[in-house]
Amino acid sequence: MKKYKTGIFVGKFFPLHNDHLKALNKICQLCEKVYLIFYNHEKIEEKLNLEGYIYYPIDKRIEDAKKICSTKNVTVVDFKVNKDYFFPTDYLKLKEDLFNQLKVKEIDLQIFGEDDEVNYKDYIYANDYITCPHTKLSENVNLHASIIKPDLNKYANYLPSVVLESIKKLNKTKIVCISGKSGSGKNIISEMIKRDFGDTVHIDIDILAHKALKNNFVKRKIDTVLNDNSIYDELGNIDRKKMGKIVFNDKILQDKVYAITWEYMNKEIIKTIRENHKIVILNWYNIINKNYWNENNIRIITEKDYNERKQYVIKRDNISPEYFELREKNALNYDDVKCDIKIFDISEYNKELIQEMLNKNA
């Protein structure tokens, strides 16, 4: 007879990896019956799937876990949490809801990863708990989902084959990020890739920014931050040039407005990526500061002579030289940005090199 009657292992398991299985095997050895609890909170799931790392919805995670646990003394549980409850603030309410769902009065044992003990030992659902040591990837880095998600290829060996196969099927789209200063040729290179590779979607994120400023929810949030009617045109729409003169001179306001518009833009990007096209091109000067830059398949920076860019942008955007200089003053510095390809002229565009890199990072 085993030492405990019931045990639980609670988490988001995004994704379920080898250390999770190690902990699960450990508690299975001690308990007659084990519940693998998927903590399913609508707001948390939305956040996870907007991070841009991998798309792996909880229904699929649960389905895969059931396949993996089919030969174990484990019941996989979808614990749907009231959206108003958050752990650990509502710990007692959550515990009551979980026990009601499991139809039990108590749980004997709970298992944590070793680094969770400090945060969660005062909030255990069971009468007792144990911890399971993590796999050390290096002297200061332990195996953890937050390490795996941004670099799935590197850590694929730490995932069960069922999980890895599901993630790859759900994330077929290859991401090409193109960045560079205004007027450096990002759109031209994007359209050349779209022309050459088929089933390719080109997202000009600056166009998304224009759309964002027409969204009523975004406008209300920006209005709360700036509280300045001078940013509106005669039709009641936000005038980017007028707003630019305010935010380009105030870094704090600039960051707040960027955060508001990015929330809208990122949802649109995620929506397109989830359509599983062959390639999605993310074209934006500021993409180097988003998680996509280090998670994608190819990173391209476009460059062009300053004076040539200046003449082109002033004409294209119908702006004054002074406004161009104001934008340039706030422009990003690309000198130390790591990339895969730098293109100084469209004649340097190399279809074969891009194809090679897409294959390499598949």
Side-chain angles (χ1 to χ4, degrees), residues 11-23:
K12 297 182 289 293
F13 307 111
F14 190 101
L16 187 74
H17 54 71
N18 288 354
D19 270 11
H20 289 141
L21 296 185
K22 183 168 66 175

Side-chain angles (χ1 to χ4, degrees), residues 229-239 242:
N229 290 330
S230 71
I231 66 173
Y232 295 100
D233 61 21
E234 62 278 3
L235 298 176
N237 296 316
I238 293 176
D239 187 309
K242 292 177 180 178

Side-chain angles (χ1 to χ4, degrees), residues 25-185:
N25 288 334
K26 183 174 180 179
I27 197 169
C28 282
Q29 291 169 8
L30 296 169
C31 302
E32 293 178 19
K33 184 174 182 63
V34 172
Y35 297 99
L36 181 65
I37 311 291
F38 276 78
Y39 185 87
N40 186 352
H41 193 293
E42 181 182 331
K43 289 183 179 178
I44 293 174
E45 284 298 306
E46 181 180 356
K47 181 177 183 296
L48 286 171
N49 284 303
L50 283 175
E51 284 179 339
Y53 297 118
I54 55 174
Y55 177 56
Y56 194 21
I58 193 163
D59 290 349
K60 187 60 180 170
R61 303 202 305 271
I62 289 171
E63 179 186 325
D64 290 343
K66 287 179 178 178
K67 291 178 184 176
I68 291 167
C69 296
S70 61
T71 59
K72 304 178 187 292
N73 53 322
V74 174
T75 299
V76 179
V77 177
D78 180 1
F79 178 38
K80 288 188 170 66
V81 177
N82 185 314
K83 63 182 178 181
D84 296 324
Y85 291 173
F86 280 95
F87 185 86
T89 309
D90 302 299
Y91 153 69
L92 292 177
K93 294 175 183 175
L94 290 166
K95 181 177 179 179
E96 181 181 359
D97 283 357
L98 177 60
F99 280 32
N100 285 338
Q101 183 170 335
L102 297 178
K103 295 182 172 58
V104 298
K105 292 184 177 179
E106 64 177 5
I107 296 288
D108 299 313
L109 187 67
Q110 185 167 354
I111 192 164
F112 300 121
E114 60 183 345
D115 59 350
D116 292 329
E117 181 176 6
V118 174
N119 295 323
Y120 299 135
K121 67 178 181 180
D122 294 327
Y123 302 102
I124 63 169
Y125 295 126
N127 299 326
D128 197 3
Y129 76 89
I130 56 172
T131 61
C132 187
H134 284 296
T135 300
K136 295 194 77 65
L137 300 177
S138 65
E139 185 178 351
N140 298 313
V141 179
N142 293 328
L143 181 62
H144 195 276
S146 62
I147 299 292
I148 295 172
K149 286 188 289 185
D151 200 342
L152 193 66
N153 290 329
K154 183 175 180 180
Y155 298 107
N157 290 337
Y158 296 98
L159 293 175
S161 58
V162 170
V163 170
L164 185 60
E165 183 179 338
S166 286
I167 291 174
K168 286 189 172 181
K169 283 182 179 178
L170 288 165
N171 296 268
K172 293 179 181 176
T173 301
K174 295 178 173 64
I175 309 295
V176 175
C177 285
I178 302 180
S179 192
K181 291 186 177 181
S182 184
S184 61

Side-chain angles (χ1 to χ4, degrees), residues 215-254:
N215 179 273
N216 289 331
F217 180 71
V218 171
K219 286 166 66 175
R220 285 196 298 270
K221 292 187 79 170
I222 289 177
D223 194 48
T224 302
V225 170
L226 298 184
N227 193 25
D228 189 332
N229 290 330
S230 71
I231 66 173
Y232 295 100
D233 61 21
E234 62 278 3
L235 298 176
N237 296 316
I238 293 176
D239 187 309
R240 277 169 50 110
K241 293 177 186 176
K242 292 177 180 178
M243 185 174 70
K245 289 178 180 178
I246 297 171
V247 301
F248 285 150
N249 289 310
D250 189 321
K251 185 67 166 60
I252 294 175
L253 287 180
Q254 189 181 82

